[in-house]
Amino acid sequence: MNIKSMTGFANVAGECGSKRINLEIRAVNHRYLDVQFRMPEDLRHLEGALREQIAAAAVRGKLECRIQVQDIVQGGQGLAVNQELVDRLAKLNKQWRKQHEGLGKLTVADILKFPGVLASQNEDTEVFAKTVQALLSQALQDFSSARAREGKKLAEHLLQRLDGMTEIVDELSKKFPDLLEAHMEKVRARLAEAVGNIDNDRLQQEFALFIQKSDVDEEFSRLRTHIGEVRRIVTEGKGSAGKRLDFLMQELNREANTLGSKAIAAECTQASVELKVLIEQMREQVQNIE
């Protein structure tokens, strides 16, 4: 299983009786799952069922489902006029023309274009609903495939940065004992020059305190642990990976900052900066992960 991107798009079309149905799904990043529908009012009774279908396929993202229904004109055969709706439209037009000067009359073409005026005599509401749900199911499959493909690219991006971070941490941890010894020699020389024959016990106490402040083994250990956890989540791609990865980016950045604050040489500072650059690059991409 791979991680999935929150962004995606799918479009399907089908026919039911005298209707042609176009269904489109598109999604962008969002902290939670936010589903919005754009569809004819006479399909609103399906919204609950359609929302459940989407929730079963997506965990996070701002998702828009657009459904358009068009009449398939076949010489007028099989079509019926909703006379009750026509009468209501005519009555409203007459009433509004009295209230608003200059308002024109509705033409036959205007009335026929109004949603619900023309309907198929043989149209089955239940069959139509099942057709819409089947189209949504098909669209969600395409949508999930598109997000999985994008997620694969995101995973490759993250794994490359994790490799770079591991290399930086390993390199610095190998150098650190020598860097620490060199820094201690500099401090020892400065102390000797400043105070002359300094008491050896006091010198040992100062060095012990210095070593404690300069100890970065804990930071190295936590960095490796977090890197390993990010790698595991990206590789396994289970559950809501985006939220967990976002938290780990914060933890990685915290350890990189701590490492920089304990810097005893230019190599330490440079490593901290390089780590934070890689972490920021990952953090930007993590915002796209479901």
Side-chain angles (χ1 to χ4, degrees):
M1 183 182 293
N2 293 321
I3 59 174
K4 291 183 178 180
S5 169
M6 276 192 281
T7 59
F9 174 83
N11 181 273
V12 296
E15 295 181 3
C16 181
S18 64
K19 305 290 185 181
R20 179 170 180 80
I21 307 165
N22 290 288
L23 192 150
E24 178 184 291
I25 296 175
R26 62 176 68 240
V28 294
N29 304 348
H30 198 269
R31 190 173 181 182
Y32 306 105
L33 179 62
D34 179 13
V35 182
Q36 297 179 355
F37 290 93
R38 295 183 180 277
M39 58 186 180
E41 288 303 315
D42 54 359
L43 291 182
R44 285 292 170 184
H45 67 285
L46 295 177
E47 185 172 325
L50 300 180
R51 190 178 294 275
E52 287 183 8
Q53 279 184 260
I54 293 172
V59 178
R60 293 203 301 160
K62 187 171 184 178
L63 190 148
E64 179 181 279
C65 178
R66 184 187 296 267
I67 303 174
Q68 295 177 311
V69 180
Q70 297 175 319
D71 292 313
I72 302 174
V73 181
Q74 297 177 338
Q77 296 181 358
L79 293 178
V81 175
N82 186 335
Q83 190 60 49
E84 181 181 352
L85 180 57
V86 171
D87 292 341
R88 287 173 59 192
L89 290 172
K91 183 178 180 181
L92 283 172
N93 183 243
K94 184 176 181 181
Q95 177 183 338
W96 289 345
R97 287 179 60 224
K98 290 180 179 179
Q99 296 174 352
H100 304 282
E101 187 178 351
L103 190 65
K105 292 183 178 181
L106 281 176
T107 66
V108 173
D110 292 333
I111 294 175
L112 291 177
K113 287 179 183 178
F114 195 87
V117 169
L118 285 178
S120 171
Q121 293 175 331
N122 301 317
E123 203 162 277
D124 188 315
T125 303
E126 185 176 348
V127 172
F128 189 81
K130 289 181 177 179
T131 301
V132 172
Q133 290 177 298
L135 286 173
L136 177 59
S137 179
Q138 180 184 339
L140 286 172
Q141 290 180 10
D142 296 343
F143 176 69
S144 294
S145 297
R147 292 194 306 150
R149 288 192 298 271
E150 182 64 24
K152 185 178 180 180
K153 295 178 182 178
L154 292 173
E156 291 172 355
H157 176 95
L158 296 179
L159 291 173
Q160 288 174 359
R161 270 69 187 171
L162 291 173
D163 289 342
M165 291 184 67
T166 299
E167 185 177 339
I168 293 170
V169 172
D170 289 346
E171 182 94 13
L172 183 59
S173 63
K174 290 177 183 177
K175 291 181 178 180
F176 199 78
D178 292 336
L179 294 173
L180 183 59
E181 181 61 32
H183 190 67
M184 287 175 66
E185 286 299 328
K186 290 180 181 178
V187 173
R188 183 183 290 111
R190 289 173 184 170
L191 281 173
E193 182 180 349
V195 300
N197 296 324
I198 189 171
D199 179 74
N200 191 55
D201 290 340
R202 176 62 184 277
L203 184 61
Q204 289 181 352
Q205 291 176 7
E206 291 294 333
F207 276 137
L209 181 61
F210 168 75
I211 292 172
Q212 183 180 359
K213 290 182 178 180
S214 303
D215 183 15
V216 292
D217 286 344
E218 192 173 343
E219 283 70 27
F220 286 152
S221 176
R222 283 200 289 257
L223 279 167
R224 289 192 177 99
T225 299
H226 294 330
I227 289 171
E229 181 64 8
V230 172
R231 191 183 299 277
R232 184 190 67 78
I233 293 173
V234 170
T235 303
E236 293 181 358
K238 294 180 180 179
S240 184
K243 290 182 179 179
R244 288 180 290 161
L245 290 174
D246 188 50
F247 170 75
L248 286 168
M249 292 303 109
Q250 297 175 39
E251 294 300 303
L252 284 169
N253 196 63
R254 181 180 293 110
E255 298 305 328
N257 280 327
T258 304
L259 182 64
S261 69
K262 291 186 175 183
I264 58 172
E267 288 87 345
C268 298
T269 303
Q270 182 63 29
S272 175
V273 171
E274 290 175 358
L275 285 172
K276 287 193 285 186
V277 168
L278 293 174
I279 293 167
E280 179 60 23
Q281 290 175 353
M282 289 194 296
R283 191 193 65 78
E284 290 176 358
Q285 297 305 320
V286 163
Q287 305 307 310
N288 299 321
I289 295 175
E290 183 182 54

